[in-house]
């Protein structure tokens, strides 16, 4: 979902503080520690505000989609992380959240909410769960097919390039497209599982159980304690999954290419992930508009750590503007993967139609070939740099 927020989340900066000893013999150590902190802060200000004369290392032949494709095919690119939002699912018929006339928030009048975001606020849900479950019937997973974007990420996996896909979406289309639990960080939760909202119960329920309740127009109630059962999506006022925090540390220190698709990068802490990659890691944005650009104040707070597409100092960020599916097809063509991607989409959509009894023609069946032999896993890890 392109809309979760963590009001209490704050970026933590490890400034390399000393041990805290206050003995007279530690004056020299304290001085060294203080100098280390000053150096850290000086470097942080320099990187954030663009001060200093050092030019960043050139990492792309050219700041274009073609330059990105050459890098992706090179031996320098072994591990790719994707960050995706609601924009990659709009072609499946699922509305995004912020588009002025077609977005979800612009079309919630029928639910008589005090304000649009209330439908995803945990405090409002506990008192008035009816609007959320009515909306869930319209958007419930299983009614939509993955898009070209989803299958492009699947191809990255098959070619041994995908390190992880971090998604804001709750529609489970990444799973339908063939990504496994290990491939995914569902930053804003998922419909795939549900739990009782009672803190002392927390009984778990399956996707099929929740689906039956929702499409019977019933408010799902716990079979054990009769409290409301909620899908495991992250509402405003709830913590993000622990998997998000545990994996981002290693993933974003050890990534060769970051691909960002279909997200406004307006919601924290998800948006701050773009600033966690090493300074020599290229970042590709495929989106309807530019987003995530530098804001010195937010960068100092650890949020955003902005993209630089157009300045004289731009050296690694590329923006392809337009429909996300078209962007993935354009990139796939440059990579020599377009025919393979289009065939994958046809096969998988035919299999989904056949399974639901809507197959056209003979139906091709699910793609079952094993993952292709991709590039060998990278051996030395990159040193994670503060960005």
């Amino acid at each position: 979902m392109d809309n979760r927020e963590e009001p209490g989340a704050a970026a933590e900066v490890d400034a390399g503080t000393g041990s805290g000893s206050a003995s007279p013999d530690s004056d020299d150590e304290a001085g060294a520690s203080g100098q280390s902190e000053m150096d850290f802060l000086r470097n942080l200000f320099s990187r954030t505000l663009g001060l200093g004369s050092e030019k960043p290392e050139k990492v792309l032949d050219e700041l274009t989609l073609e330059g990105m494709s050459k890098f992706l095919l090179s031996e320098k690119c072994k591990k790719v992380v994707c960050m995706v939002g609601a924009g990659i699912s709009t072609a499946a018929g699922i509305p995004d959240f912020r588009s002025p006339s077609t977005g979800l928030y612009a079309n919630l009048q029928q639910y008589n909410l005090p304000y649009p975001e209330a439908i995803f606020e945990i405090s409002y849900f506990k008192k008035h769960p009816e609007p959320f479950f009515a909306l869930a019937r319209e958007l419930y997973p299983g009614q939509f097919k993955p898009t070209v974007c989803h299958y492009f990420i699947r191809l990255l996996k098959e070619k041994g390039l995908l390190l992880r896909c971090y998604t804001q979406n709750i529609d489970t289309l990444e799973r339908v497209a063939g990504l496994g639990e290990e491939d995914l960080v569902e930053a804003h939760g998922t419909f795939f599982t549900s739990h009782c909202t009672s803190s002392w119960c927390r009984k778990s329920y399956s996707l099929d159980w929740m689906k039956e309740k929702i499409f019977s127009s019933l408010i799902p109630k716990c079979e054990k304690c009769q409290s409301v059962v909620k899908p495991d999506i992250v509402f405003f006022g709830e913590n993000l999954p622990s998997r998000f925090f545990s994996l981002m540390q290693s993933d974003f220190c050890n990534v060769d290419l970051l691909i960002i698709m279909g997200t406004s990068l307006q919601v924290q802490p998800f948006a701050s992930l773009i600033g966690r990659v090493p300074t020599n890691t290229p970042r590709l944005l495929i989106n309807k508009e530019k987003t995530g650009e530098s804001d010195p104040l937010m960068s100092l707070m650890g949020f955003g750590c902005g993209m630089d597409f157009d300045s004289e100092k731009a050296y690694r960020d590329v923006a392809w503007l337009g429909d996300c599916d078209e962007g993935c097809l354009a990139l796939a063509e440059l990579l020599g993967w377009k025919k393979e991607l289009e065939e994958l989409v046809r096969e998988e959509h035919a299999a989904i139609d056949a399974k639901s009894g809507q197959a056209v023609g003979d139906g091709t069946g699910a793609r079952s070939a094993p993952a292709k032999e991709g590039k060998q896993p990278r051996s030395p890890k990159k040193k994670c740099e503060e960005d």
Side-chain angles (χ1 to χ4, degrees):
M1 174 179 293
D2 191 21
N3 251 67
R4 300 282 63 75
E5 192 168 23
E6 186 59 22
E12 293 182 4
V13 177
D14 180 7
T17 55
S19 64
S21 173
S23 69
D25 294 334
S26 64
D27 287 348
D28 290 342
E29 294 179 9
S33 176
Q35 184 62 42
S36 173
E37 292 177 13
M38 287 302 298
D39 289 342
F40 172 84
L41 291 173
R42 189 180 296 112
N43 291 334
L44 178 62
F45 272 96
S46 177
R47 288 196 301 271
T48 302
L49 301 177
L51 305 176
S53 58
E54 291 187 9
K55 293 184 178 179
E57 176 188 355
K58 183 180 179 181
V59 294
L60 296 173
D61 291 339
E62 54 185 276
L63 295 178
T64 62
L65 193 66
E66 185 173 3
M68 281 289 182
S69 69
K70 291 178 180 177
F71 179 83
L72 207 162
L73 292 173
S74 75
E75 287 301 313
K76 295 180 180 178
C77 188
K78 309 279 189 182
K79 296 184 178 180
V80 178
V81 167
C82 295
M83 292 174 57
V84 301
I88 75 165
S89 293
T90 53
I94 301 173
D96 64 12
F97 290 83
R98 302 179 187 278
S99 294
S101 58
T102 60
L104 182 64
Y105 284 158
N107 293 278
L108 294 176
Q109 299 88 344
Q110 59 182 307
Y111 300 117
N112 297 316
L113 301 168
Y115 44 90
E117 292 84 354
I119 202 164
F120 294 117
E121 283 190 352
I122 189 61
S123 58
Y124 186 85
F125 172 84
K126 287 180 177 179
K127 297 177 181 177
H128 308 286
E130 296 83 6
F132 169 78
F133 286 114
L135 177 64
R137 277 195 295 278
E138 298 181 33
L139 303 179
Y140 202 77
Q143 304 179 83
F144 306 96
K145 298 174 187 174
T147 67
V148 170
C149 285
H150 293 98
Y151 290 116
F152 179 80
I153 301 171
R154 159 85 171 269
L155 270 188
L156 289 174
K157 174 186 175 178
E158 291 189 356
K159 293 177 182 296
L161 290 166
L162 182 68
L163 174 59
R164 208 87 61 197
C165 176
Y166 284 70
T167 178
Q168 293 173 286
N169 300 330
I170 60 172
D171 52 37
T172 74
L173 288 182
E174 294 88 3
R175 292 177 183 253
V176 178
L179 298 189
E181 188 170 348
E182 181 58 29
D183 305 314
L184 285 169
V185 172
E186 292 163 317
H188 296 159
T190 178
F191 266 101
F192 199 69
T193 56
S194 301
H195 282 84
C196 173
T197 55
S198 170
S199 59
W200 61 266
C201 179
R202 300 298 294 161
K203 180 176 171 61
S204 62
Y205 293 90
S206 68
L207 179 67
D208 289 339
W209 183 93
M210 177 60 72
K211 181 177 181 179
E212 180 184 353
K213 300 297 181 184
I214 287 178
F215 283 93
S216 298
S217 298
L218 300 173
I219 301 300
K221 294 293 184 70
C222 179
E223 296 169 354
K224 182 178 179 181
C225 72
Q226 292 303 302
S227 297
V228 175
V229 176
K230 181 180 81 66
D232 291 339
I233 63 174
V234 180
F235 278 38
F236 290 111
E238 291 188 304
N239 293 325
L240 270 65
S242 59
R243 179 175 171 82
F244 174 85
F245 297 102
S246 62
L247 284 179
M248 74 176 184
Q249 301 291 340
S250 58
D251 286 352
F252 282 82
C253 284
N254 196 33
V255 58
D256 299 311
L257 172 64
L258 180 64
I259 301 178
I260 305 143
M261 298 188 286
T263 172
S264 63
L265 291 176
Q266 293 186 22
V267 177
Q268 300 295 350
F270 187 89
S272 67
L273 295 178
I274 65 169
R276 288 185 168 270
V277 300
T279 55
N280 63 339
T281 297
R283 301 180 293 191
L284 170 63
L285 175 71
I286 298 177
N287 205 43
K288 286 186 176 180
E289 57 188 9
K290 290 179 182 177
T291 187
E293 294 179 272
S294 296
D295 181 320
L297 178 59
M298 292 301 288
S299 294
L300 280 175
M301 296 171 63
F303 294 130
C305 296
M307 313 266 281
D308 182 0
F309 303 113
D310 304 311
S311 82
E312 293 181 358
K313 294 186 178 182
Y315 71 101
R316 61 163 173 166
D317 296 330
V318 172
W320 190 95
L321 302 183
D323 176 82
C324 289
D325 278 2
E326 292 178 6
C328 285
L329 287 169
L331 179 56
E333 185 169 22
L334 291 168
L335 293 167
W337 302 352
K338 185 177 180 181
K339 183 177 179 180
E340 186 178 3
L341 176 59
E342 291 175 333
E343 182 63 21
L344 173 59
V345 174
R346 282 194 295 270
E347 289 179 359
E348 291 292 323
H349 281 187
I352 292 171
D353 287 341
K355 188 175 181 180
S356 62
Q358 301 171 355
V360 178
D362 59 1
T364 314
R367 177 164 166 138
S368 57
K372 297 182 180 178
E373 185 175 337
K375 301 180 181 179
Q376 293 301 312
R378 154 179 160 185
S379 48
K381 286 190 176 183
K382 282 186 180 181
K383 181 180 180 182
C384 186
E385 301 173 36
E386 294 283 345
D387 187 357

